[in-house]
Amino acid sequence: MLQAAGRALRWNTRQSQRAAMLARPLSSTPLRRSQGGSDIERGSQLHGFVVEDVQSVSELKLKAVRLRHQRTGLEWLHIDRDDANNVFSIGFNTSVTDSTGVPHILEHTTLCGSERYPVRDPFFKMLNRSLSTFMNAWTAHDYTQYPFSTQNGQDYENLQNVYLDAVFRPLLREVDFRQEGWRLERESELGWQIKGVVYNEMKGAFSDAGALFATRAERQMYTGTTYEHESGGDPQVIPELTYEALVDFHRTRYHPSNARAYSYGNLPLAPQLARVDAAIEGYVRQKPVEVEMQVKPFGEKMVTEFGPAESVGAADKQTKFSVSYLANDLRNVYETFSMSVFSGLLLNGASAPMHQALIDAHIGTDYSPNTGYSPYTRQTSLTVGLQGMADKNIPLVEQRIAETLARVGESGFEQRRVDAALATVELAYKHKTADFGLNLMRSVSTGWFHGVNPVEYLRVSENVERLRADTGVFSKLVDRYLARSQHKLKFVMLADPKYMQGLDEKEHEMIQSKLAALSSADLARVDEQNAELAAEQGQVEDLGALPTLTLDDVAPEAQRFAVDMGVSAESVPVQWRAAATNGISYVRAINAVRDKYPELWPYMPLFCEALTYQGTATRDMAEIETDIRLHTGGISFSPFVSTDLANLGHVEAGISFGTHCLDTHVDRMLELVLELVRETNFGNTARLRALLAAMATNMYNDVASSGHAFARRLAASTLTPEMSAVEQLNGLAQVRFLGDLRRSGDLENIAQRLSQVRDVVFDRATLRTAVTANAGSTDANARALERLLTAYPDAPEREGIVDADKFTPTPGRFFCPLPVATSYAAQATRCVPYTHADSPALQLLAKLLTPGFLHREIRERNGAYGGGSVYSAVQGIFSFFSYRDPMPRETLATFGRSIEWLLSHEVSEREMREAKLSVFGDLDAPLSVSDEGMAYFTAGITDDMRQERRERFFAVTPRDLRNVAETYLAAPDAAARTSAAVIGAEGLDMSGWTRVNV
């Protein structure tokens, strides 16, 4: 799926990020620390590599080793750190000179088979032959990367070999180019169409109004450079790419001289160097291809373009406008860091001067999608803008931006805010996350591919201290890059209700133009090629060439997370976990309201956001926000819903909140939590109006990028109480609810409703808490928590309490029309609760159907960007979905055919093993320290329950899969427990389906 990761990772194409509960052991391969980097010295030579630098970074508890391959010049950064979640990535500079999407399509096609592993799509095949904690590939502005992570030593070697062979010795067959890139194909009912995985992915991306605005603005900002082109591919240009150009791009870009390798963790380095040296045997050093990255200043210009209209908000307030300023060269690491901090202080939160000048003034609904500092191009940029505004207010917005920058340039920022921003940076690096190695790679990659020593990015404290001592630094930045800008773009996008229709017409014209250039013999050849592709997709492959783990590599015992259960003096349950938290205390709490107050439930998301937005009667949010950043890593509130582990008809619902801080700040952290809980001023209607507008706009925009998730929620909403609540809280029903609230304009009534929510939710009698901290800080946490609980509200007596209606599962078929170029389809079936004996088999069945049938039919044949099946064990829902799908009705039929395939298919030992490996990969992925023990706190899942379920997974047989398929998905009563949903363009023929408008 496309994963949002800021503007750095433009088209993140293949994701297998496994959420999990347990860490798993390394392979039995012995770890020799002398080969991990600890004893390596500058000048050492290993397997064709020479060590250029070795540096320790004590604040991050790591040693960085920089190496270079002597024959080819390949650069390598190894991070030696005591972390079992080992990471590897190989990447290449892939800057472009057009918008055909050649690096994006090449990224897909290299993973469609290689010399050593000549099977179709070994990447997806390896997902189920591995215990990886992450597998992906992405194309950014200037580079393409292929990263993975795993805790198993043999798995690491297997994946490294597959990735290296894929990039250096891919088959690059034309048939794969036509599947992944683009092709003409004759459809019996629709006539000639353009298909292709990347083509449909980018059609979906370009129908997202926000993403389109950011892309078009950037194109205008960087005219004459590589950045005016779309590295992911413009759907109107992708069909200009030829197979020969793809092969040539690989020859010139996927070369060791143009490559960067990254490794992280506690596995030995020397064997990895040997594997890479062998993989690039025969290559010699060559000069990398250079493209223009330096923009020629054009002074100031204003550009207006058109984009899709959005149904949320008033028709006369759909304009997007931004002002972009060319900033520093990203290779200046300190200045890039300073600009990043400056951008946060200028823009983020209630205390930010630009927020006060633009958002609080209600000129627009929220910042424009490209607002912020962008350090992802050779010359960076800072952008400020608004969306959801009237075009008549463009001069006003431009004036306010200029005035605010001038004021900041003259006076700078309040010192407390600067201190708070730097404290946030420092705390973030102390926070022990499960994916630290991957995040570290992302933080250094852009600069590294532009020639920066990546170790410079690791010395965070040095930059922090330098900034603290740099008097007037922010005024200097304003003067240097903003006040006297020689390169400033003012970009406007006006909403065109017929924009999507225009894209369809252009696509039709493009198809007709291509057909006109083909003879009858050419068209016959196209039909033959498509028939060859279909035959290729239908073949049963021998996967014997691919490496695999076995179930012997899976630990029989789940890792356990010891917790102590206690009760405070106020009779509030407290879960304690002592862990190595690096001096940070984590506090979570849940207030349950059960199934009461159904009329207030839709207000919960707005209520949660308002708690950290509105301020109080005595302090505005700007002041509170600065305190939060000075003393904590943030305070967050969110709605909470969880299904009873033994009964799908029973749910626990309410609110959850969490926060963390240095151990020395626990008292102040919990004082701030209590202040928000007790004193938030919902009656500040000016701020409430701004918050509501931003939430309505942003949630509507989320549908275009995450439509598969919205379709799944909508489909399941009629089947269980939890999914009904989730739809109200985070589905299309919430999109519609926020839009209706915003259009009503009755802010006084909304504020009253939010106050009612506070009265019923924050109740000491329904509260439970959890604390994770160092053993030495337990007493301090206990004292601070007791003070919080003593002052925590008791819910007042309330007359006329209404219980939610008894839930009755009902089937349904729903269609939500939206201005999108591709669709999202989903189907959901109610099955069994977590503790039911059939639950593990259902989870394994979902893991088997995706690679066995759905991936081939939905992605390869139908051309959707993604699709598959998922079983949520806690929710008891079996789901099918597709993502950026050009043929949603065909996909719905495919969902049903997948069960028919399973029932007529003899599941092999290999398929069974791979499904189990995939499940154990999910179960055993590492956790951040703050999440350890949380499965019990949030859902009641004990270590013993997880172990029992683990043993059931080992014991499931092919016959068990057939039984659960027959019992729950193919039984005569399955239709009464099944619903479906499609999100797509207005013109889709969905007659007979219930229409859902937002």
Side-chain angles (χ1 to χ4, degrees):
M1 305 306 133
L2 187 65
Q3 176 185 358
R7 295 167 70 190
L9 307 183
R10 299 295 300 279
W11 310 114
N12 184 350
T13 64
R14 299 179 180 211
Q15 178 179 330
S16 178
Q17 176 84 64
R18 285 165 166 167
M21 298 166 59
L22 305 171
R24 56 183 168 274
L26 287 170
S27 105
S28 57
T29 303
L31 175 64
R32 292 175 289 164
R33 298 303 299 162
S34 62
Q35 293 184 331
S38 297
D39 297 335
I40 289 178
E41 298 179 351
R42 182 179 301 179
S44 301
Q45 296 186 20
L46 290 168
H47 301 291
F49 287 84
V50 62
V51 178
E52 294 188 332
D53 194 17
V54 180
Q55 294 191 38
S56 294
V57 184
S58 58
E59 64 201 87
L60 301 181
K61 299 177 180 174
L62 60 82
K63 179 168 285 188
V65 183
R66 291 176 54 228
L67 308 99
R68 187 181 298 272
H69 194 251
Q70 293 170 286
R71 188 178 69 254
T72 66
L74 181 149
E75 295 183 36
W76 191 309
L77 174 64
H78 176 68
I79 303 297
D80 182 48
R81 193 167 188 260
D82 187 18
D83 188 342
N85 194 26
N86 290 269
V87 180
F88 178 77
S89 171
I90 184 72
F92 306 89
N93 187 302
T94 53
S95 301
V96 296
T97 56
D98 59 40
S99 294
T100 59
V102 57
H104 187 187
I105 295 172
L106 179 60
E107 170 214 317
H108 281 241
T109 313
T110 56
L111 297 175
C112 288
S114 63
E115 292 180 9
R116 187 175 174 186
Y117 308 107
V119 299
R120 191 176 67 254
D121 215 343
F123 177 90
F124 280 99
K125 303 293 192 303
M126 287 302 296
L127 290 176
N128 294 332
R129 301 169 74 86
S130 162
L131 290 172
S132 66
T133 56
F134 183 89
M135 284 179 66
N136 210 335
W138 50 61
T139 297
H141 269 309
D142 294 308
Y143 58 90
T144 300
Q145 283 181 303
Y146 299 81
F148 69 81
S149 63
T150 180
Q151 297 176 101
N152 183 287
Q154 184 59 57
D155 199 24
Y156 189 94
E157 180 177 345
N158 292 348
L159 291 170
Q160 194 172 55
N161 285 332
V162 171
Y163 269 50
L164 291 171
D165 207 56
V167 297
F168 290 118
R169 291 178 175 79
L171 297 179
L172 290 187
R173 303 179 307 167
E174 186 172 4
V175 68
D176 296 318
F177 165 71
R178 298 180 70 253
Q179 173 183 282
E180 298 296 319
W182 75 276
R183 66 185 183 275
L184 280 170
E185 187 166 313
R186 197 193 310 257
E187 293 287 344
S188 57
E189 297 181 2
L190 301 176
W192 286 96
Q193 302 289 309
I194 296 179
K195 286 188 175 183
V197 173
V198 171
Y199 180 77
N200 283 316
E201 175 192 349
M202 299 312 297
K203 278 183 67 177
F206 273 59
S207 64
D208 180 334
L212 181 67
F213 178 83
T215 298
R216 296 300 195 220
E218 191 170 68
R219 181 174 69 178
Q220 295 294 336
M221 183 71 176
Y222 291 98
T223 53
T225 75
T226 180
Y227 306 116
E228 74 174 335
H229 304 295
E230 182 47 66
S231 59
D234 185 328
Q236 296 179 34
V237 185
I238 287 174
E240 296 177 10
L241 180 65
T242 65
Y243 168 66
E244 291 73 21
L246 180 92
V247 174
D248 186 64
F249 194 88
H250 178 270
R251 179 183 60 80
T252 57
R253 281 11 183 247
Y254 279 44
H255 190 282
S257 302
N258 195 40
R260 307 287 189 276
Y262 171 91
S263 56
Y264 165 93
N266 62 5
L267 285 176
L269 175 60
Q272 301 184 57
L273 298 175
R275 285 193 288 272
V276 173
D277 184 53
I280 59 178
E281 184 181 2
Y283 282 93
V284 295
R285 192 184 298 255
Q286 72 176 29
K287 184 179 179 181
V289 175
E290 295 183 359
V291 300
E292 184 59 65
M293 295 183 176
Q294 205 79 13
V295 69
K296 296 178 180 178
F298 52 56
E300 179 179 311
K301 73 176 180 180
M302 187 166 188
V303 177
T304 300
E305 295 190 18
F306 291 89
E310 299 168 319
S311 63
V312 66
D316 62 343
K317 292 185 177 180
Q318 300 245 350
T319 296
K320 297 177 177 66
F321 171 69
S322 68
V323 182
S324 299
Y325 302 84
L326 197 67
N328 64 292
D329 189 311
L330 71 82
R331 293 171 294 185
N332 186 326
V333 175
Y334 170 67
E335 201 162 43
T336 299
F337 174 76
S338 301
M339 281 295 297
S340 179
V341 175
F342 170 81
S343 174
L345 290 166
L346 178 71
L347 297 164
N348 296 343
S351 57
M354 203 64 77
H355 190 284
Q356 294 169 349
L358 299 178
I359 307 299
D360 291 350
H362 308 296
I363 305 171
T365 58
D366 202 357
Y367 287 130
S368 62
N370 58 340
T371 290
Y373 178 58
S374 175
Y376 305 118
T377 50
R378 173 66 62 85
Q379 291 168 283
T380 66
S381 62
L382 178 74
T383 299
V384 183
L386 281 180
Q387 61 181 320
M389 57 177 285
D391 53 5
K392 68 179 181 180
N393 284 330
I394 289 175
L396 174 61
V397 173
E398 187 179 353
Q399 176 187 347
R400 293 207 170 198
I401 292 173
E403 291 174 348
T404 303
L405 290 175
R407 187 165 60 252
V408 170
E410 181 178 347
S411 305
F413 300 107
E414 178 191 358
Q415 188 58 45
R416 288 185 79 249
R417 293 191 64 234
V418 177
D419 292 341
L422 296 179
T424 299
V425 172
E426 292 176 309
L427 182 59
Y429 276 89
K430 290 181 71 69
H431 179 46
K432 296 179 67 174
T433 60
D435 53 358
F436 184 87
L438 282 164
N439 290 336
L440 207 64
M441 181 197 74
R442 291 186 176 107
S443 71
V444 307
S445 289
T446 300
W448 189 19
F449 276 96
H450 283 271
V452 178
N453 178 353
V455 180
E456 290 188 41
Y457 291 104
L458 306 182
R459 300 194 176 280
V460 179
S461 61
E462 291 182 9
N463 283 324
V464 169
E465 292 307 316
R466 182 178 173 184
L467 186 61
R468 282 197 174 110
D470 196 347
T471 305
V473 57
F474 300 123
S475 295
K476 295 173 189 174
L477 293 174
V478 171
D479 181 65
R480 187 177 307 145
Y481 297 118
L482 308 177
R484 296 185 292 121
S485 175
Q486 300 300 305
H487 190 94
K488 181 169 74 171
L489 170 70
K490 294 180 285 188
F491 187 72
V492 181
M493 182 167 281
L494 303 176
D496 179 2
K498 296 185 178 180
Y499 181 82
M500 299 307 299
Q501 178 182 336
L503 289 184
D504 290 341
E505 292 172 354
K506 288 180 180 179
E507 183 181 52
H508 178 73
E509 292 171 2
M510 180 168 57
I511 293 172
Q512 295 307 309
S513 174
K514 289 193 170 295
L515 291 175
L518 298 175
S519 66
S520 56
D522 293 332
L523 293 175
R525 176 57 184 150
V526 170
D527 286 335
E528 290 176 9
Q529 290 176 324
N530 290 332
E532 292 168 1
L533 174 59
E536 173 87 12
Q537 292 166 340
Q539 288 180 358
V540 177
E541 293 185 289
D542 179 4
L543 304 182
L546 283 177
T548 184
L549 296 182
T550 70
L551 293 178
D552 290 337
D553 293 295
V554 179
E557 297 290 326
Q559 183 173 349
R560 292 174 176 266
F561 300 112
V563 297
D564 294 320
M565 304 307 299
V567 179
S568 74
E570 302 297 327
S571 301
V572 174
V574 183
Q575 174 180 300
W576 295 94
R577 173 160 171 78
T581 63
N582 205 18
I584 298 177
S585 293
Y586 300 89
V587 177
R588 291 195 189 182
I590 292 174
N591 261 125
V593 295
R594 302 291 174 181
D595 54 357
K596 301 182 185 301
Y597 317 108
E599 78 283 3
L600 297 178
W601 195 240
Y603 288 89
M604 289 290 283
L606 178 61
F607 172 76
C608 290
E609 292 295 323
L611 288 167
T612 54
Y613 191 86
Q614 291 293 107
T616 69
T618 57
R619 294 211 298 163
D620 64 25
M621 196 61 217
E623 182 181 355
I624 298 171
E625 182 181 80
T626 300
D627 274 349
I628 290 174
R629 291 178 177 172
L630 268 172
H631 301 291
T632 83
I635 302 173
S636 62
F637 297 82
S638 61
F640 171 80
V641 189
S642 181
T643 295
D644 188 295
L645 298 177
N647 188 336
L648 297 181
H650 291 172
V651 296
E652 180 184 43
I655 190 172
S656 171
F657 60 87
T659 184
H660 66 280
C661 68
L662 295 175
D663 291 340
T664 53
H665 292 164
V666 170
D667 283 318
R668 185 61 181 135
M669 176 180 73
L670 295 185
E671 288 172 1
L672 289 165
V673 169
L674 188 63
E675 182 178 8
L676 298 177
V677 167
R678 294 186 65 97
E679 301 177 32
T680 294
N681 178 20
F682 300 110
N684 186 341
T685 55
R687 289 193 64 76
L688 186 58
R689 174 186 170 193
L691 174 62
L692 182 57
M695 286 185 65
T697 298
N698 292 335
M699 192 163 189
Y700 176 87
N701 291 338
D702 284 346
V703 180
S705 59
S706 303
H708 62 304
F710 281 90
R712 284 178 58 196
R713 293 180 198 125
L714 180 58
S717 65
T718 64
L719 303 178
T720 68
E722 177 179 348
M723 295 313 299
S724 176
V726 168
E727 171 65 14
Q728 292 182 64
L729 296 169
N730 199 28
L732 294 174
Q734 179 67 195
V735 177
R736 183 172 59 251
F737 179 76
L738 291 174
D740 290 344
L741 283 186
R742 183 184 172 200
R743 285 185 286 270
S744 76
D746 191 355
L747 296 172
E748 296 292 343
N749 180 61
I750 296 171
Q752 183 179 3
R753 287 290 196 174
L754 297 181
S755 295
Q756 291 173 355
V757 173
R758 173 168 56 194
D759 288 343
V760 301
V761 167
F762 291 136
D763 182 2
R764 184 166 43 197
T766 67
L767 182 68
R768 66 177 185 270
T769 60
V771 179
T772 300
N774 295 304
S777 64
T778 300
D779 289 344
N781 272 279
R783 290 191 296 270
L785 185 61
E786 203 64 55
R787 284 190 287 272
L788 168 74
L789 299 178
T790 299
Y792 202 81
D794 293 310
E797 293 293 330
R798 186 165 182 248
E799 297 181 359
I801 294 177
V802 177
D803 290 344
D805 294 335
K806 182 177 175 60
F807 187 88
T808 302
T810 56
R813 296 190 303 168
F814 306 99
F815 171 59
C816 177
L818 285 176
V820 291
T822 52
S823 300
Y824 307 89
Q827 181 175 298
T829 301
R830 174 175 169 141
C831 294
V832 297
Y834 180 89
T835 56
H836 194 284
D838 287 339
S839 178
L842 284 161
Q843 193 167 342
L844 282 167
L845 176 61
K847 288 293 188 180
L848 186 141
L849 288 177
T850 298
F853 186 84
L854 295 168
H855 175 78
R856 178 181 71 244
E857 298 297 317
I858 296 174
R859 181 183 170 102
E860 295 180 352
R861 287 185 171 171
N862 289 354
Y865 183 47
S869 55
V870 178
Y871 183 69
S872 172
V874 174
Q875 295 169 342
I877 297 292
F878 196 105
S879 298
F880 297 92
F881 69 93
S882 68
Y883 183 78
R884 289 185 173 160
D885 186 350
M887 306 173 68
R889 292 188 67 89
E890 289 81 352
T891 295
L892 290 168
T894 298
F895 296 157
R897 288 194 293 112
S898 69
I899 302 303
E900 296 172 3
W901 169 83
L902 186 280
L903 294 178
S904 62
H905 175 71
E906 184 174 343
V907 177
S908 68
E909 179 183 345
R910 174 188 62 80
E911 291 171 317
M912 200 73 217
R913 179 189 69 240
E914 291 177 356
K916 291 182 179 182
L917 283 173
S918 183
V919 165
F920 286 120
D922 291 346
L923 294 177
D924 291 353
L927 289 178
S928 299
V929 65
S930 58
D931 292 326
E932 294 174 355
M934 286 300 109
Y936 179 67
F937 178 69
T938 59
I941 301 175
T942 67
D943 287 345
D944 287 342
M945 291 170 68
R946 292 189 293 109
Q947 180 61 35
E948 179 183 355
R949 187 174 183 85
R950 187 181 194 84
E951 292 167 3
R952 286 181 174 178
F953 279 127
F954 277 114
V956 171
T957 67
R959 181 60 196 168
D960 294 330
L961 298 188
R962 180 185 296 272
N963 287 342
V964 295
E966 291 174 340
T967 302
Y968 301 106
L969 303 179
D973 68 342
R977 295 179 283 103
T978 299
S979 292
V982 171
I983 299 173
E986 180 73 54
L988 279 176
D989 180 13
M990 303 302 294
S991 55
W993 289 53
T994 301
R995 187 182 178 95
V996 176
N997 294 315
V998 295

